[in-house]
Amino acid sequence: MVETHKTFCRFCHAYCAIEVDVEDGKPIEVRGDTSDPVYGGYTCIKGRQLPEQYTTPARISKSLKRMPNGEFEEIDTDQAMDEIAEKVKQLIGDHGPRSIATYVGSYGYQNSAALVIPKAWHKSIDSPSYYTSVTIDQPAKRISASRFGTWGGGTHKFTDADVCMMIGNNPVVSQFTPFGGPPPFSPYARLRDEMKKGMQVIVVDPRRTEVANRATMHLQVNPGEDPTFVSGMIRLILDEGLHDQAFCAHHVDGLEELIKRVEPYTPEYVAVRCGIDIDEFIEASRMFANANSGVAVGGTGPDMAPHGVLTEHLILTLNTICGRVNKEGEQVPNPGMLQPARSRHADVHAANPEFGKGPKSRVRGLGEIIGEMPTAALNDEILIDGEGQVKALFCLGGNPMVAFPDQDKTLEAMEKLDLLVCVDLYKSATAKLADYIIAPTISLERDDVTILTDTWYDVPYAHYTKAVLPRNEQSREEWEIYWELSHRMGVPIDLPGGQLDPTTRPTKYDVLKLITAGSRIDIDTMRDKGQGHIYEEVDVRVEAPRDGRDAKLLLLPDGVAEEITEVYNENRWRDGKIIDEDKAFTHLLISRRLKHVFNSSGQQLSNLQKKGTTNPAYMHPDDLEALGVNTGDLIEIQGAYGMLVGVAEAAKDVKPGVISMAHAWGDVPGNWGEVREKGSSTNRLIDDHKTYDPITGQPRMTAIPVNVRHVKEDAA
Ligand SMILES: Nc1nc2c(c(=O)[nH]1)N[C@H]1C(S)=C(S)[C@@H](COP(=O)(O)OP(=O)(O)OC[C@H]3O[C@@H](n4cnc5c(=O)[nH]c(N)nc54)[C@H](O)[C@@H]3O)O[C@H]1N2
Ligand SMILES: Nc1nc2c(c(=O)[nH]1)N[C@H]1C(S)=C(S)[C@@H](COP(=O)(O)OP(=O)(O)OC[C@H]3O[C@@H](n4cnc5c(=O)[nH]c(N)nc54)[C@H](O)[C@@H]3O)O[C@H]1N2
Ligand code: SF4
Ligand SMILES: [Mo]
């Protein structure tokens, strides 16, 4: 008997509405749910592999404990949690609560309680050592918005806009767009539909990406030059008076000084430095400014490059001076279904920087940002002995060994821990080093609700899914580890709707109810719908400004003016070579995503392996020819801090002088010989203490200067 269930896919954060056929308790097929009012039946190749994810023998379905001989043995999960809780108590007694750390990785984001419960538990035990992948991703967005101030009415949405400019963002592959870009599903169809209605799309990327191929204009910039590009655009728009002068007159602060600061960024200067055609730059600037609606968005490209926080600030500035906000009387397309209802006004919420306060890191002058500790400092917090040292790490659906900057240092750190607990579906590069691997309750076995994507939709949509399959009794959800600890240690977990009962195991529904207490639409209503739904009755309009609210959007908060000038004064080039740490380099290695995997997830599944088992080093054919390298040859990529071996692949879409390579491949260091089967970690090239953002600590993770050399096969 085949039963069909409606749910949503949680292989990635796009949360596509799907139907799953279940036969004899096992998932056998996944299809897009054509009845869903937002997703309309879209799926990708990864989501369609959920049945194999459930049945693959590679899956960890029983918890494992590392024995003194180094081998893993199965352990009953309650027994494992008893032992882990004892160890945590002992470490807190000996070294204080800060010694207990959590890192929530990308699979924590697919569980709608995993970003809330661990954080609440950390607060309860008074341990600031709470880390997530966001701080090695795009923390620049929240940091820059927090010191800029926010417009009460929100910014323009994608649908029906006249223009969309994507800077280092490739949603056709990544399904990820920050606010104002195409919503995270069916991105190609969304672009096509809007372009048919007249939207002009500008893509700024060193690679002619899948989204660039469909765009009105593609500016193939040099990597790492985004602050120059956006400064130049701001200059041109202000110079030609194309900005929204009425909006600026009332709501921004620092315009005059900004005009002076961006003055040197002439079109001539920008075109040379970014390696683009001057006329195209001018045309794109006017195209963006002359539109009535639509915003510029940045993806991981600019955010991972040097000055990522500045670039995001400049993008906010660009959108703001062009007045791309919802004004009084206009509709707020999606005010968020899973958060408390609040009115929206045509005024500014004053800047309130989410950094520079709270606990401090022990290294590089860093400290808490956006309410968590910076992940780029976690290795050092483990490695540096003394007061405040991290001794235990809970790693929830993350893979530090391939995702953290500086792979050798990460290995040293993971090995130094007194306790490493991974909640992982596979024996990943990191889980292999763990003391315990706890079997995770996988998506189809869980209730979840669209909290993560709540404000990503252009319409008031939400989806609550019940578990499709019964849960594997030995498994635990990512958040549930903390309930287990709370239960054994008597630590309360306080949530918006009240305390989580430490005595009786709560259901996921109980937990979600407490997390979403007071939300605009109750989760019971969502659950009763049985599928995703647009809440048409939610119609929020931007109201008149409130009396006495005269805060401004800050175009030049502390340090920004100086940084704009600092970028201008930088000179990274000498004799046609890029200089890094006094050495000369020929190429810049940039980050990217691959359609058939989600970071390191998916590399284990047979249909996805057919699409490739390595992360090729994509280079322009002319560059390969100059090096005497053919597609499929091994190349050595050497940076100032490390080296990796990759498999070369010719790609005309990559700008000459650039290598485009995905991260989160490879294994623990020393996997040279297996590069064709496992790929290589680009984090071998990234150091965490030389080129990093002073606020977020995020190292340079793209635009990395490197040299390339052909490796003769028998030498590998
Ligand atoms: N050089 C470089 N480094 C980068 C980046 C880059 O572009 N360049 N990108 C950064 C970014 S944006 C991010 S988000 C991070 C990602 O960093 P991480 O989140 O640390 O890395 P992932 O590979 O996504 O780890 C996901 C883990 O979840 C496991 N998993 C798979 N399915 C399940 C499941 O159902 N449940 C559980 N519990 N686990 C599961 C996988 O086996 C894997 O070990 O990497 C960052 N690092
Ligand atoms: N299929 C798939 N989807 C994913 C993931 C995956 O691994 N696979 N990972 C997920 C994660 S963790 C995240 S954070 C999101 C990220 O989502 P996106 O930010 O859209 O990530 P990418 O697709 O890598 O697009 C980044 C683009 O930046 C360009 N770029 C690199 N360096 C520079 C630069 O210096 N300047 C400019 N202007 N551009 C540059 C690259 O060529 C690339 O096209 O994707 C998510 N979605
Ligand atoms: S884009 Fe693919 S992997 Fe992501 S949620 Fe949709 S079907 Fe799943
Ligand atoms: Mo990410």
Side-chain angles (χ1 to χ4, degrees):
M1 241 274 284
V2 176
E3 286 171 28
T4 300
H5 300 259
K6 285 186 191 297
T7 180
F8 62 88
C9 174
R10 282 147 278 171
F11 201 116
C12 90
H13 46 59
Y15 288 1
C16 299
I18 52 172
E19 287 184 343
V20 184
D21 287 344
V22 177
E23 188 176 35
D24 302 330
K26 286 196 180 134
I28 53 167
E29 194 184 296
V30 166
R31 288 177 304 276
D33 179 359
T34 50
S35 74
D36 186 275
V38 155
Y39 290 87
Y42 177 81
T43 58
C44 82
I45 186 171
K46 299 185 295 302
R48 294 192 294 270
Q49 312 313 315
L50 290 178
E52 189 188 347
Q53 192 198 50
Y54 184 83
T55 50
T56 173
R59 169 183 173 189
I60 306 238
S61 50
K62 295 211 169 100
S63 297
L64 300 172
K65 177 184 181 179
R66 178 189 300 283
M67 304 316 275
N69 66 4
E71 299 294 316
F72 281 110
E73 274 185 18
E74 284 177 8
I75 179 171
D76 175 77
T77 301
D78 283 327
Q79 168 72 23
M81 285 313 308
D82 286 345
E83 295 177 15
I84 292 166
E86 270 315 303
K87 185 76 184 169
V88 167
K89 274 192 247 174
Q90 179 227 315
L91 288 171
I92 292 179
D94 294 349
H95 305 282
R98 186 168 167 144
S99 66
I100 313 298
T102 291
Y103 167 67
V104 189
S106 65
Y107 260 80
Y109 283 77
Q110 323 308 6
N111 183 324
S112 35
L115 286 171
V116 182
I117 310 293
K119 200 170 179 182
W121 183 84
H122 273 264
K123 193 156 190 265
S124 248
I125 67 158
D126 201 21
S127 165
S129 306
Y130 174 78
Y131 299 80
T132 80
S133 54
V134 159
T135 53
I136 48 168
D137 188 336
Q138 297 152 87
K141 292 188 166 52
R142 254 180 77 181
I143 293 287
S144 54
S146 78
R147 67 175 181 184
F148 190 85
T150 45
W151 177 252
T155 49
H156 285 169
K157 63 174 176 171
F158 176 78
T159 306
D160 297 332
D162 298 333
V163 74
C164 176
M165 179 159 72
M166 286 171 257
I167 307 177
N169 171 221
N170 187 20
V172 174
V173 167
S174 69
Q175 322 280 153
F176 173 80
T177 342
F179 311 100
F185 47 89
S186 196
Y188 173 50
R190 300 299 311 261
L191 270 172
R192 186 197 53 207
D193 294 350
E194 293 307 319
M195 289 181 80
K196 262 194 212 149
K197 288 194 270 170
M199 177 186 278
Q200 289 176 307
V201 175
I202 306 165
V203 172
V204 183
D205 199 302
R207 199 188 135 227
R208 188 166 181 87
T209 56
E210 291 69 6
V211 69
N213 262 328
R214 283 141 185 152
T216 321
M217 290 189 78
H218 172 215
L219 295 136
Q220 197 164 21
V221 288
N222 289 330
E225 302 296 359
D226 305 289
T228 293
F229 181 89
V230 189
S231 293
M233 229 180 215
I234 292 171
R235 181 193 181 279
L236 188 140
I237 290 167
L238 292 172
D239 192 44
E240 298 192 356
L242 304 178
H243 57 299
D244 183 336
Q245 299 178 19
F247 186 76
C248 289
H250 286 100
H251 301 295
V252 309
D253 182 71
L255 191 62
E256 288 311 310
E257 176 62 17
L258 176 71
I259 291 172
K260 285 190 211 141
R261 285 289 169 166
V262 295
E263 178 52 30
Y265 291 90
T266 59
E268 294 74 17
Y269 177 81
V270 173
V272 171
R273 189 160 169 182
C274 297
I276 50 176
D277 181 80
I278 184 169
D279 294 330
E280 287 185 15
F281 171 72
I282 294 171
E283 188 187 342
S285 305
R286 291 182 182 149
M287 185 182 280
F288 183 79
N290 285 327
N292 288 318
S293 57
V295 294
V297 293
T300 46
D303 287 30
M304 289 184 175
H307 304 288
V309 176
L310 176 66
T311 305
E312 281 294 344
H313 176 85
L314 293 166
I315 293 173
L316 285 172
T317 302
L318 177 66
N319 291 330
T320 301
I321 61 168
C322 292
R324 301 298 161 75
V325 298
N326 304 316
K327 296 180 182 163
E328 189 176 338
E330 288 178 346
Q331 194 185 31
V332 178
N334 172 18
M337 301 300 99
L338 284 151
Q339 35 191 291
R342 59 183 173 89
S343 53
R344 304 300 167 104
H345 296 266
D347 55 32
V348 173
H349 298 265
N352 182 16
E354 291 190 280
F355 58 93
K357 34 197 178 198
K360 297 271 170 263
S361 298
R362 293 183 299 148
V363 290
R364 301 190 280 287
L366 301 171
E368 195 180 76
I369 50 168
I370 56 173
E372 46 192 83
M373 293 300 267
T375 293
L378 176 53
N379 284 334
D380 281 331
E381 297 283 14
I382 297 168
L383 289 170
I384 297 171
D385 291 332
E387 179 86 28
Q389 186 177 8
V390 168
K391 296 277 185 181
L393 178 65
F394 289 88
C395 178
L396 312 179
N399 198 354
M401 275 314 305
V402 292
F404 282 13
D406 195 339
Q407 199 187 38
D408 289 334
K409 193 181 202 179
T410 307
L411 178 64
E412 219 187 305
M414 295 302 126
E415 287 183 332
K416 182 155 179 170
L417 288 163
D418 287 10
L419 175 68
L420 174 60
V421 179
C422 289
V423 185
D424 205 297
L425 192 57
Y426 306 108
K427 260 191 212 161
S428 70
T430 309
K432 280 199 283 201
L433 306 171
D435 299 295
Y436 297 87
I437 311 177
I438 303 295
T441 308
I442 66 168
S443 59
L444 295 177
E445 303 168 342
R446 308 191 305 248
D447 282 25
D448 273 309
V449 64
T450 47
I451 296 182
L452 180 71
T453 50
D454 189 38
T455 51
W456 295 5
Y457 304 103
D458 267 5
V459 286
Y461 171 89
H463 188 168
Y464 184 107
T465 179
K466 292 185 198 167
V468 166
L469 302 167
R471 129 156 164 182
N472 156 16
E473 287 302 325
Q474 282 295 311
S475 75
R476 295 292 179 273
E477 293 201 29
E478 291 74 11
W479 61 270
E480 206 174 359
I481 303 297
Y482 299 80
W483 180 83
E484 301 281 355
L485 294 174
S486 133
H487 175 62
R488 287 167 175 82
M489 296 166 61
V491 174
I493 294 179
D494 292 312
L495 299 174
Q499 210 169 77
L500 201 57
D501 179 356
T503 54
T504 318
R505 182 180 298 280
T507 64
K508 182 67 166 295
Y509 166 79
D510 298 335
V511 173
L512 292 176
K513 192 85 184 148
L514 291 175
I515 291 177
T516 59
S519 63
R520 187 182 289 276
I521 306 286
D522 192 86
I523 60 166
D524 293 334
T525 309
M526 296 178 188
R527 193 169 68 150
D528 292 346
K529 301 273 183 219
Q531 69 177 108
H533 182 79
I534 297 175
Y535 294 87
E536 306 276 6
E537 66 275 24
V538 175
D539 180 10
V540 175
R541 302 272 154 176
V542 182
E543 298 172 33
R546 288 160 294 182
D547 286 345
R549 296 285 178 130
D550 56 2
K552 305 272 190 242
L553 296 164
L554 306 183
L555 303 187
L556 292 174
D558 279 357
V560 170
E562 294 76 9
E563 202 178 345
I564 293 174
T565 302
E566 183 191 322
V567 169
Y568 183 76
N569 290 330
E570 273 173 356
N571 188 3
R572 299 195 292 139
W573 297 81
R574 202 185 300 148
D575 303 330
K577 297 259 173 96
I578 310 134
I579 306 301
D580 191 27
E581 290 294 298
D582 286 335
K583 295 187 202 103
F585 296 91
T586 53
H587 289 73
L588 288 169
L589 183 133
I590 61 170
S591 63
R592 69 174 298 145
R593 263 94 197 130
L594 298 171
K595 189 77 187 172
H596 63 284
V597 290
F598 184 75
N599 303 330
S600 67
S601 299
Q603 297 169 17
Q604 307 79 1
L605 303 177
S606 59
N607 280 330
L608 301 179
Q609 284 167 348
K610 285 181 200 151
K611 301 276 171 189
T613 57
T614 191
N615 50 336
Y618 293 102
M619 293 175 73
H620 194 274
D622 294 349
D623 279 7
L624 287 186
E625 203 187 319
L627 291 162
V629 171
N630 292 312
T631 288
D633 289 355
L634 295 188
I635 52 174
E636 187 185 285
I637 302 174
Q638 174 81 55
Y641 311 101
M643 187 273 280
L644 65 84
V645 173
V647 183
E649 189 160 330
K652 279 200 199 118
D653 57 25
V654 178
K655 186 163 181 150
V658 172
I659 306 175
S660 163
M661 201 167 173
H663 75 294
W665 285 78
D667 202 333
V668 287
N671 65 343
W672 257 56
E674 293 175 298
V675 59
R676 291 179 198 285
E677 292 77 39
K678 292 186 170 175
S680 229
S681 170
T682 52
N683 280 309
R684 302 202 51 68
L685 303 174
I686 299 172
D687 85 294
D688 58 11
H689 62 284
K690 284 281 169 51
T691 311
Y692 62 90
D693 185 277
I695 298 174
T696 63
Q698 186 170 11
R700 172 179 57 191
M701 293 163 73
T702 192
I704 303 157
V706 292
N707 287 317
V708 192
R709 192 176 69 84
H710 190 192
V711 178
K712 298 280 178 279
E713 201 71 8
D714 45 359

